[in-house]
Amino acid sequence: MGVIMGKIFDSKGRLKIPAREVREEELIVKQVFCPEGHNLITEEHLIDGHPGIELAFRRENGQEGMVVLSPKLGDRRAIFLKGTVEEGEVVKFLCPICERQLPILTTCEHCGEGSIYVLFLDENFSFNNAITFCSKRGCPNSTIRKADRIITALGL
Ligand SMILES: [Zn+2]
Ligand SMILES: [Zn+2]
């Protein structure tokens, strides 16, 4: 009994609940590709110590810019390298290497204004192994998410 008690309770007698550990590493995207196979992860700009996702963008007024998104799922942090985007503004995202517009999955189900952009996690370019983000700055969907959950939720 004593042995079992020792394992279940900590030294203060509190019940120890073995939490399922979600390792931070699992939430960090290590590579993402445009449809032409360009890896958009940049070692030059780290967010929280992790290489960020570098994207070009174009505003409605034609201004172009560059932004680095956090590679961590759900993390709002971003670094603007060139230009800026106002809170609530919708922009177009392009690959900074081939300058092709990045693929769009659908209109954002949250804000109804932004587009849900897709970046592929491997070079099979499958929407089922991809991340998505909304193109409206400040939308809760503007951080990266796994695409398969959105596809399932929307029945696409
Ligand atoms: Zn490209
Ligand atoms: Zn949105």
Side-chain angles (χ1 to χ4, degrees), residues 4-17:
I4 296 166
M5 291 286 283
K7 281 184 179 164
I8 297 174
F9 296 97
D10 68 16
S11 58
K12 295 201 174 94
R14 288 176 305 211
L15 188 62
K16 282 198 281 196
I17 298 164

Side-chain angles (χ1 to χ4, degrees), residues 5-105:
M5 291 286 283
K7 281 184 179 164
I8 297 174
F9 296 97
D10 68 16
S11 58
K12 295 201 174 94
R14 288 176 305 211
L15 188 62
K16 282 198 281 196
I17 298 164
R20 142 117 172 88
E21 284 178 51
V22 178
R23 292 184 307 125
E24 198 191 9
E25 284 297 296
E26 292 174 32
L27 303 174
I28 309 289
V29 165
K30 298 288 192 316
Q31 54 173 28
V32 282
F33 299 97
C34 88
E36 298 288 338
H38 299 123
N39 191 349
L40 306 175
I41 294 284
T42 172
E43 303 277 343
E44 283 172 41
H45 300 284
L46 306 181
I47 296 184
D48 215 12
H50 302 288
I53 302 168
E54 188 172 342
L55 300 173
F57 64 84
R58 187 176 294 138
R59 303 175 76 176
E60 208 144 278
N61 64 12
Q63 275 178 2
E64 299 197 341
M66 291 283 243
V67 66
V68 177
L69 303 183
S70 171
K72 185 176 177 181
L73 299 177
D75 184 6
R76 260 207 73 154
R77 283 172 287 184
I79 303 167
F80 282 89
L81 303 178
K82 185 185 154 205
T84 188
V85 179
E86 304 290 333
E87 201 70 12
E89 186 178 343
V90 175
V91 295
K92 282 196 168 79
F93 284 100
L94 316 154
C95 170
I97 299 158
C98 64
E99 298 183 341
R100 247 181 80 163
Q101 188 176 322
L102 294 165
I104 292 171
L105 188 62

Side-chain angles (χ1 to χ4, degrees), residues 108-116 134-136 139-142:
C108 176
E109 74 277 16
H110 185 90
C111 67
E113 290 177 63
S115 298
I116 298 293
C134 174
S135 60
K136 179 174 172 170
C139 174
N141 287 346
S142 64

